[in-house]
Each structure stands twice: as structure tokens, then as C-alpha cells.
Amino acid sequence: RQLPGSVQATAPSVAAQAAPQGSLTIVYGTQTGNSRLLAERLKQRAEAAGLAVRCVRAGEYPTRELKNERLLYVVISTQGDGDPPDDARGFVEFVLGKRAPALGQLRFAVLGLGDSSYPKFCEIGRVLDERFAELGASRLFARAECDVDFEPVAEPWLGQALEHAKKELEPQTSLATVTPLRTVPVTPTFSRENPYPSQVLANQRITGRGANKDVRHLELSLEGSGLTYEPGDALGVVPRNPPDLVEAVLSALRLDGATDVTREGRTLSLKRWLSEGLEITRLSRPFLASHATRSGNTELQRLLTPEGAEGLRALLASHQVIDLLRQYPATWGAEELVGALRRLTPRLYSIASSQKRVGEEVHLTVSLVEYEAFGFRHVGTASNYLATREAGQDLVDVFIEANERFRLPKDPSRDVIMIGPGTGVAPFRAFVQERAELGASGRNWLFFGEQHFRTQFLYQLEWQEAVKKGELHRLDVAFSRDQGQKVYVQHRLREKGREVYDWLQGGAHLYVCGDATRMAPDVHEALIDIIATHGGKSREDAKAHLESLREQQRYLRDVY
Ligand code: 2AM
């Protein structure tokens, strides 16, 4: 008997005889891939222990099966302001909603991921955890909440999860004896854990003089790495902090950079910890809490009470670590400091090239984050690191982060509409290159936006060349600050609404990349309006239509 929900990916005939006592389901909701990484790690370990496991992306989980699950682990991240990952929206709504079934049969545990610079840290993990209990399910062990440096919290949770799963489910010993685990020789590949030191081949500013943004086009070598990627994938970059910021932290705390400090079994000088091991730009809530205690500052301490929530949000958004250290003096020892800061984690950048065109290279479009605050220049860690790398000289540690959710149509005769203002244009450079190299017969339509035509038309010459060659069929641009009134990509979309709708009716795939907080929701609204107006539909029907495009994976977003 095959239990509902148990999926036997390997040796189905054997599994059928083995009559599993039950199976473990892992549901993950991921935006950047971390939850997937952890969910899959757990799956592998559970399988190695002889358990029947299925590991499903929340967007693909058939929610009607929830009432039949016996053992469920949920690994889910929270976006910016307390939102679920795009793809997990349906799952979360179902569980929180009125139609959720009673779950008396279920044992579960939840691992939340998030970024403690935001006030609603790990909110989705928390509400799901509470809701499962409310629906009658038994919590096997306590929820854990991971910050951006997720490993130290995730690993112990995964360990507990495995132990509980082993206790709950009888291992399928018969399966294990029939198909013993084979040890496969491992070919060394570069990965997040073992990144490839890539030579910087080019680092060109592509915004003009006088532009208020410094956007770089970077070309990195993958020669001999064996790394390959698809359009839509991201490049993981292992950044380092700016040397002057490291010095500023040391001097604000009057600490000696030469002091050796051990954390998680790794011993480095304090200076190296601050330069390459720890996050010293974005402020986290736990660090702030620790600092508040050490400083004895009552104003800071008040921010950590429920009444201080607004002030806390404002402070986390406006202050980097160094600002806190300067404005609220406190005493820290080297060990304590290294223990309290978050791990410096790799940053993901949408790849701006197609390997079919550039071979063993990978290109990025990087906007340097820099601003003045409290009398000092502030920068974003990774963008500053990349922007200051010298071509022909520096190496950057990188890996490929596959992004299966953002793929060109499998059918090359489909049309594509790409909406990518600012550096959101990066993956579309890869798309257009790829489709040209493939000789795809479908048409390509790009919507691009920036502030000024003269200085910020990213890749202008390339687009014009692509149009001339018939590789790009339509190009619409919105330069927001070249006239009295703001003009954005969604205005251009609306102006061309009739044709956009016709393209969609003809089977076109829609892609949006770039700013998640304002642009993507505004574009979403414009798309609803276009479908309503030109499809003669009510707003509700237009929404449902767009939702069905999303379900058919014809409306894909890569927003951040
Ligand atoms: P702005 O900075 O002049 O407001 C790339 O950053 C481009 O996206 C800029 O032209 C920027 O305009 C624009 N932009 C800002 N908010 C937007 C929104 N809500 N929708 C679309 N584009 C937006």
C-alpha cells in the first residue's frame, strides 16, 4: 500500500513491496534558494537514514493532501515586510485561511528564515507554526528562526528534525538492504561551500558622468572552473568589507585587530573576522539588543520594548553597525564582538550574460550602493566590493545559484515580454543573447526604465545593435526624470496595452525583474488594468487571468 503523499523517486517496485510505515514530507518556501538548500539537505540525510521522504516547493504542494500528512516539516523564509516567498503565497494563504482542515493526525515542526534587519523577522515561519498548532497538529520540537547567516541556527534544527523523523517513522530496512547506498566518487565542483576564485576581466562604469548612480558592467572569468549556468540564474559573490570600515570599527571600539579570535572552530585575527567573516554594514536586531545592554543607554533599551517598535524599525533602516557604535558608545571585547555579529554571507546577482555567447565568462550589472549619513560615506558591502575590483588583477570568489523559477520558455517560438528597469535589466541581456544564439523564432520585447536617457540608458548601444540585427523586436523606455512628470515602465506598458494584451493572447511569456517594493506591485497593477481593459474583463476576472498566467509559469518575477 502506498501511503498518500509518499513519493518513491527511486526503485518504485521495491518501495511498493516495502510497505512504508509512513513518510516524511518537507515543504519549503524559498525566494533566494536558502530554504530549498536546507530542505534538500534534510531530505538527503533522511533518505540516507532509510526514511521515505518527499521534498516539495510550497507552490507545488497539493494542499488537499495536508489532511493526510503524518509528519511534516516546513522550511520557509520571510520577505522584507513580513511577506511569504512569491511562490509560497498560495500555501500560506491556504493554511491560514478558513478552508484549512483540522490536523489532529499531524506532527510537525517549522524552520523560519529571515533577515533580522527587518522588524517582521521570520514572521511567516512564526504564523505557520502557531497556525498548525491551532489546527490541532502536535509540534514535535520548537521552531527555530534563522538570520541571513542561517547555518548556525539551521544545522541544530536539521539535526533535531532528523532525530525526530527517525523516531516517528520506522526506517524501511527492507528498502535499504535491497538498494544499498552507493558511494559515488565525487567530482570536485565549485559551490557555495567551495567557491571559485574568478579573475575580473572587466569592470566598466556604464552610467555617464554626472549620473547620480554608479552602475558597473563586470565580466568575470569562469575559465577551467567547469561552472555552467542558464539565463535566469544568479551568481553568488563572496564579498569582503571595505578596509576603511574595518579600521573604523576597530577604532570606535578601541580594539586591536591583531587579537586572535575563535568562532565555530575557526581562528582568525579580529581584523580578518571583520574584513571577511562578519557582517559589519547591515545592523541586526540581536546585535542592537546586545549593544543596548552593553551601552546602558536607556533610549536604546526602550526601542526593544513593544512601545519602541516604530523607533526600532527606523533605527534599523537608517543605521549601519558603525553608526550605532559611534552614536552609542559601549564596551565590547574581541571575542564577544565576533560572537555577536552575523556571518558575512554571499550575495546573489542576476547573471547578465548567456554562456552561448560569452563562453567561459559571466557578466553582471551592479549598482553601487553609496550614500552620506551622519557625516560619513556609507556603502553596500557587495556592490562596493565588486565596484572596487580591478580588471586583470583581482580575483572574486563566486558560485552559480540556479534559479529554476526564472526561465525562458522551453518553446523558442513563444514571444517574451521583459520588464526590467534599472539593474533589473540584467537577466534580460542574458535572455536576448540566448535567444539570438539559439535562433529562437519568438519575438522579444523589452521595457527598460531609468532616471535619465543621457547618462543611465544601461547597455544602450547593445540594445540598438540587437534591434538592428533583429534580435530585439520591441524596445520601450521610460526615463523618469527627463520631464516634469515621472514616467515609469508601467506607464509605457499601459500605453502599449493593446499590443501587450495581443502578445499575451498569442502565448507570450511575461518577465519582471528589479525592485520588489514599489516597481513590481505597480507593474502588477498595470497588467491587471491592461487585461481588464483590452480583454473586456472585470477587475476580478483580470486578476484571475493574471494568476492563471502565473500558474502556467508564463508570468515570472525575479524581484528583490
Ligand atoms: P525614480 O528614481 O525617478 O523614481 C530605475 O531605478 C528606475 O525605476 C528609475 O527611473 C526610477 O525612477 C524607477 N522607479 C521608481 N519607482 C518606480 C515604480 N514604482 N515603478 C516603476 N519604476 C519606478
Side-chain angles (χ1 to χ4, degrees), residues 77-92:
S77 63
T78 296
Q79 303 311 302
D81 249 354
D83 294 322
D86 283 342
D87 190 42
R89 220 166 265 280
F91 177 81
V92 172

Side-chain angles (χ1 to χ4, degrees), residues 52-111:
V53 191
R54 71 160 166 172
C55 180
V56 217
R57 172 183 283 285
E60 281 157 17
Y61 179 79
T63 46
R64 72 190 119 73
E65 287 178 16
L66 201 54
K67 60 182 182 308
N68 303 321
E69 299 286 358
R70 304 267 151 204
L71 178 57
L72 175 73
Y73 290 145
V74 176
V75 181
I76 192 160
S77 63
T78 296
Q79 303 311 302
D81 249 354
D83 294 322
D86 283 342
D87 190 42
R89 220 166 265 280
F91 177 81
V92 172
E93 278 167 14
F94 176 82
V95 174
L96 300 184
K98 286 199 210 78
R99 287 169 35 233
L103 294 175
Q105 86 296 351
L106 181 70
R107 290 162 182 271
F108 77 99
V110 176
L111 179 63

Side-chain angles (χ1 to χ4, degrees), residues 293-316:
T293 312
R294 289 169 177 278
S295 69
N297 184 298
T298 49
E299 180 195 337
L300 271 189
Q301 286 164 354
R302 209 192 66 83
L303 294 180
L304 298 155
T305 64
E307 301 75 59
E310 254 326 291
L312 176 66
R313 179 199 276 268
L315 188 120
L316 288 174

Side-chain angles (χ1 to χ4, degrees), residues 213 421-422 449-451 480-481 486 488 490 518-519 522:
K213 285 187 198 172
E450 253 301 349
Q451 296 170 350
S480 52
R481 304 187 188 186
K486 289 278 174 103
Y488 291 149
Q490 60 269 29
R518 294 165 306 154
M519 184 274 291
D522 289 353

Side-chain angles (χ1 to χ4, degrees), residues 331-396:
T331 310
W332 280 92
E335 291 275 342
E336 291 78 40
L337 182 70
V338 169
L341 288 166
R342 298 188 288 182
R343 294 289 290 264
L344 184 59
T345 50
R347 307 301 203 267
L348 300 179
Y349 285 91
S350 302
I351 292 175
S353 53
S354 155
Q355 256 189 316
K356 293 200 173 58
R357 177 158 300 173
V358 305
E360 285 187 302
E361 288 182 15
V362 58
H363 299 182
L364 301 181
T365 314
V366 177
S367 182
L368 173 63
V369 174
E370 66 179 330
Y371 58 94
E372 281 284 314
F374 314 114
F376 293 94
R377 176 173 179 264
H378 289 57
V379 294
T381 304
S383 63
N384 175 72
Y385 178 67
L386 287 171
T388 53
R389 293 310 90 191
E390 243 177 88
Q393 204 161 327
D394 288 326
L395 300 177
V396 175

